[in-house]
Amino acid sequence: LYLMAEKVPHTQRERAFSFLKSKGMARLNELIAEGVTASTVSRLEREGALVRLARGLYQLPDASIDVHHTLAEAAKLVPKGVICLTSALAYHELTDQIPAKVWIAIGPKDWRPKFRYPPARFAHFPSNHLQTGVERHVIDGVEVPIFGTAKTIADLFRYRRTIGINVALEGLRGAL
């Protein structure tokens, strides 16, 4: 009786490709946890086999890219953050505006991470506000926390001096 065994990736290169095909994009520490060294990742990047999206964030060059790809990148770069305000409004298709920056909610005492791309804007939310109304959507293989429609509209009115009352009203009209 001949049984076909599923091919298990043995080399670091195979492990990296297998992991990135299943996850879409990965941080360096995730690749290291899969048994891929930082020097292998660097070599793969130099060869053009991997694309460096941001410091410590990689994907395959032929990966399919969703319209909301920047939200997936932001979620990887800010693991404790939640996509909020106009970015969440645009994700839920309740506005015609395309936000110039990804809005990310972080805790009241959290540091603002420093990265160039995607352009991001941070809003400090109270801890209890970060826990409620969060939906998890998969974008390019990455689970992205995004505030739901009702929570987003409430937050737009809460932050109306920063965002603008017209955006809050547009979101409310779109939801109704």
Side-chain angles (χ1 to χ4, degrees):
L1 187 71
Y2 177 74
L3 296 174
M4 293 206 45
E6 187 176 316
K7 187 176 180 196
V8 178
H10 295 290
T11 66
Q12 290 185 35
R13 180 185 205 88
E14 290 173 349
R15 281 188 229 139
F17 292 154
S18 174
F19 188 75
L20 286 168
K21 281 180 184 173
S22 68
K23 299 292 183 185
M25 66 181 77
R27 295 192 58 115
L28 179 60
N29 61 359
E30 293 172 321
L31 290 167
I32 289 171
E34 288 295 311
V36 181
T37 63
S39 60
T40 300
V41 172
S42 181
R43 187 178 324 105
L44 291 171
E45 181 190 356
R46 277 194 310 272
E47 293 171 5
L50 291 183
V51 175
R52 181 178 177 227
L53 300 172
R55 184 174 176 222
L57 186 62
Y58 300 90
Q59 79 175 24
L60 295 172
D62 60 348
S64 63
I65 296 178
D66 188 85
V67 174
H68 303 290
H69 183 76
T70 54
L71 300 181
E73 287 184 45
K76 278 290 192 181
L77 293 170
V78 187
K80 292 183 184 177
V82 181
I83 305 301
C84 66
L85 300 171
T86 57
S87 297
L89 195 67
Y91 179 80
H92 293 298
E93 298 178 354
L94 297 175
T95 182
D96 294 334
Q97 296 181 21
I98 299 172
K101 296 183 178 185
V102 177
W103 277 91
I104 305 170
I106 56 177
K109 295 182 181 179
D110 289 346
W111 289 87
R112 293 179 182 196
K114 299 217 187 289
F115 51 86
R116 289 188 176 173
Y117 188 85
R121 184 126 185 233
F122 295 93
H124 288 278
F125 276 49
S127 297
N128 59 339
H129 289 212
L130 284 173
Q131 307 302 321
T132 57
V134 178
E135 300 173 353
R136 303 210 176 269
H137 299 273
V138 177
I139 301 171
D140 288 339
V142 177
E143 188 175 280
V144 180
I146 302 174
F147 285 127
T149 304
K151 171 88 165 103
T152 298
I153 292 169
D155 290 339
L156 286 168
F157 280 99
R158 186 176 294 121
Y159 286 85
R160 68 185 172 275
R161 289 189 184 119
T162 305
I163 301 296
I165 191 70
N166 292 337
V167 175
L169 290 170
E170 178 187 7
L172 181 60
R173 281 188 208 104
L176 291 175

